[in-house]
Amino acid sequence: MDFTLVKKYLFKNVFSGLVKTLVTLGLSIIGLPFVISKIGIETFGIISIVLVFSSFSGILDFGLSKSLVVYSNNEKHREEISTIYFLNFSLFLFLSALGFIFYITGINLFGSKIDVDLNEIKLINFVSLQLLAFGILNNLYRANLEASYKLQIVNWGFLIQSFLINALWIILSYFDSDIFWFIISPVVSSICTLCFHLVSVKSIPFFFKIPRYRSIKEVLNTTFKFFKIGALNSLHLPLVKYLIILVIGESYALGVFELATKLAVICNNLLSYVSNPFFSLAAKADESERLNIWKIVKRSSNYIFLVTILGYILFLILNRPLIFYFFKDYSTEIFIVLNLTLVGYLAVALGEIFQKYYLGIGKVSQVINVKFFSVLLNIVLLLVLIVFNKLDLIWVSFSFSLSYISLGTFWFSKKLVSNPSQ
């Protein structure tokens, strides 16, 4: 492995990730307050419901995208790669068909507490499943690019998706459009991003050919480990949002939590672009090269730690004007929710670079166990809150943040290990 090329690859990813995050942040600063001022935080919560199910793309991906990165390291695995595409496209067709069935039957997936009429529920169900289907397809083409050391193109794809959805919502808010158009906007942005990835990928195997049983079995054996990680990643945040919908049942609460997590995720992404390439780098490196990669990981973590501390101090200084700007109102509840979600996501960002490295060198079981503990902690805390009838927005945010803090703290402590691959 040429480490000069590795550094160039890291620089391209950092640059594209930085541009993506700053532009997304700029769009959010300009767009979200305008949209919320026009449609209200309650309606914002309702249109955000469509994004809840799309977050499950990690679990329904079944680990196929991560397995593609692993298999692409060897030309002998062409049949397995073709099988991955076949299975992924089959999932896409199944979920798309399921969306039409749910629309026709009017099945309500979101309970009775959210005040939304039947036609809007049917539309939300349909759009949610279409977003999930396109998300799974997009995951695979992003993995294709990551395997080809083109992660910077993935960043540009995310930027296109973010730009389109924010631009569409701003335009629709300006013209005081029907909520129908707000709900379908994410599908439009997802399709455009998919087209961008299709144009950018190096090659796509002919996945309409039905694979052999041996090939399917081989792929599923590999994907199962990654599936468990994807399942845990996908269940965490959507589980909390879904609980707010079913139990709290207030569109205001969902809107506040959605906006708070959106802002926290932007801050998390600002740091994650540094760690993202290390999965593919570690996965493709041999034993002699991993020590050098580990040294880069540890040095990069110092930068992440410094930026995290400075970012949180900046938030504490600017929290009042920030909350007034985005929420049009300042309250202790909003400050606590925003503060808790931000701390949680910053903690995850601190340890994510180590998690990606451990995942790349094949220590999948350890990654799964740590992630499982984090999700389990969140679930136990939520159950305790339900038993004691304390399930409100602040306590939900606290349990969510504490589980993320435990996750980030564990992985950041791995910095003390000299070389985990030996």
Side-chain angles (χ1 to χ4, degrees):
M1 182 179 290
D2 189 340
F3 278 89
T4 302
L5 294 178
V6 169
K7 290 179 181 178
K8 288 182 179 179
Y9 172 57
L10 292 175
F11 174 78
K12 286 181 180 180
N13 177 66
V14 168
F15 174 75
S16 60
L18 183 61
V19 172
K20 176 200 74 174
T21 307
L22 290 178
V23 172
T24 301
L25 179 61
L27 288 169
S28 299
I29 290 173
I30 296 170
L32 288 178
F34 177 78
V35 172
I36 292 171
S37 67
K38 288 287 187 178
I39 67 176
I41 192 71
E42 292 82 4
T43 305
F44 179 75
I46 291 173
I47 64 175
S48 298
I49 294 175
V50 300
L51 304 176
V52 172
F53 278 178
S54 65
S55 303
F56 288 117
S57 61
I59 184 171
L60 291 180
D61 174 76
F62 290 105
L64 292 171
S65 57
K66 290 295 184 185
S67 298
L68 179 65
V69 177
V70 174
Y71 279 126
S72 65
N73 196 33
N74 195 326
E75 284 293 325
K76 295 179 181 179
H77 292 141
R78 294 183 67 181
E79 184 178 353
E80 285 77 12
I81 291 174
S82 180
T83 300
I84 288 173
Y85 275 90
F86 176 85
L87 294 174
N88 183 276
F89 193 72
S90 299
L91 283 170
F92 169 78
L93 292 177
F94 171 75
L95 289 169
S96 296
L98 196 62
F100 282 101
I101 292 171
F102 277 28
Y103 182 81
I104 293 170
T105 58
I107 296 173
N108 186 357
L109 301 174
F110 299 100
S112 58
K113 289 198 172 184
I114 288 289
D115 186 20
V116 181
D117 66 46
L118 179 60
N119 289 331
E120 288 179 356
I121 281 292
K122 290 170 64 176
L123 180 63
I124 289 172
N125 287 339
F126 172 75
V127 171
S128 295
L129 287 169
Q130 297 309 307
L131 270 179
L132 183 56
F134 282 113
I136 289 172
L137 209 56
N138 256 319
N139 282 349
L140 198 66
Y141 296 125
R142 286 171 183 146
N144 184 305
L145 293 166
E146 182 179 358
S148 305
Y149 297 110
K150 294 179 179 179
L151 197 57
Q152 69 275 10
I153 296 179
V154 176
N155 288 331
W156 299 133
F158 277 121
L159 178 58
I160 290 171
Q161 190 167 7
S162 176
F163 174 81
L164 285 175
I165 190 170
N166 279 281
L168 287 170
W169 279 0
I170 291 171
I171 293 169
L172 292 170
S173 299
Y174 180 80
F175 288 103
D176 195 23
S177 302
D178 189 271
I179 193 173
F180 167 85
W181 300 109
F182 284 94
I183 292 173
I184 67 170
S185 293
V187 175
V188 175
S189 65
S190 186
I191 292 173
C192 291
T193 306
L194 177 63
C195 293
F196 173 76
H197 288 143
L198 282 169
V199 172
S200 304
V201 294
K202 183 179 179 180
S203 61
I204 302 174
F206 188 70
F207 48 81
F208 290 105
K209 179 181 177 181
I210 298 177
R212 294 184 297 168
Y213 172 76
R214 183 202 64 79
S215 179
I216 294 176
K217 183 178 179 181
E218 167 68 23
V219 167
L220 292 180
N221 284 337
T222 303
T223 60
F224 181 68
K225 292 181 180 179
F226 292 112
F227 162 71
K228 289 189 284 187
I229 296 174
L232 293 171
N233 284 333
S234 295
L235 282 173
H236 210 162
L237 179 59
L239 177 68
V240 177
K241 290 181 180 179
Y242 199 49
L243 191 68
I244 292 174
I245 294 170
L246 292 179
V247 180
I248 299 179
E250 296 177 3
S251 54
Y252 171 81
L254 181 62
V256 170
F257 189 76
E258 175 69 28
L259 188 53
T261 52
K262 190 180 290 292
L263 296 175
V265 166
I266 290 174
C267 296
N268 174 275
N269 289 342
L270 194 61
L271 301 171
S272 294
Y273 62 74
V274 179
S275 59
N276 286 336
F278 284 98
F279 168 68
S280 57
L281 288 175
K284 295 195 173 189
D286 57 37
E287 291 291 336
S288 61
E289 295 168 334
R290 286 177 179 174
L291 178 59
N292 290 326
I293 294 176
W294 177 245
K295 290 178 180 178
I296 298 174
V297 166
K298 294 179 75 172
R299 286 198 298 268
S300 299
S301 70
N302 294 330
Y303 159 77
I304 295 174
F305 179 77
L306 178 62
V307 175
T308 299
I309 297 300
L310 293 176
Y312 183 65
I313 293 173
L314 185 64
F315 163 74
L316 292 178
I317 295 172
L318 300 177
N319 76 86
R320 184 169 289 273
L322 183 72
I323 291 173
F324 268 122
Y325 183 75
F326 280 100
F327 294 90
K328 305 302 177 186
D329 182 28
Y330 185 92
S331 69
T332 303
E333 181 184 49
I334 291 176
F335 169 75
I336 293 174
V337 172
L338 183 57
N339 185 68
L340 287 171
T341 53
L342 179 62
V343 169
Y345 274 101
L346 288 179
V348 169
L350 275 176
E352 196 163 17
I353 190 169
F354 300 101
Q355 178 183 299
K356 292 288 176 63
Y357 178 83
Y358 272 75
L359 194 59
I361 64 175
K363 297 195 174 184
V364 181
S365 296
Q366 186 174 5
V367 177
I368 292 171
N369 291 336
V370 177
K371 176 67 73 172
F372 177 74
F373 172 80
S374 174
V375 176
L376 183 63
L377 176 62
N378 198 170
I379 293 173
V380 170
L381 289 172
L382 289 172
L383 289 175
V384 170
L385 292 173
I386 292 173
V387 169
F388 288 95
N389 198 26
K390 293 287 186 181
L391 196 68
D392 58 25
L393 184 57
I394 290 178
W395 281 110
V396 167
S397 302
F398 172 77
S399 66
F400 179 71
S401 177
L402 189 61
S403 63
Y404 268 17
I405 290 170
S406 68
L407 179 65
T409 301
F410 176 86
W411 286 115
F412 190 70
S413 68
K414 287 296 181 180
K415 187 175 181 178
L416 302 175
V417 180
S418 58
N419 183 13
S421 61
Q422 294 181 344

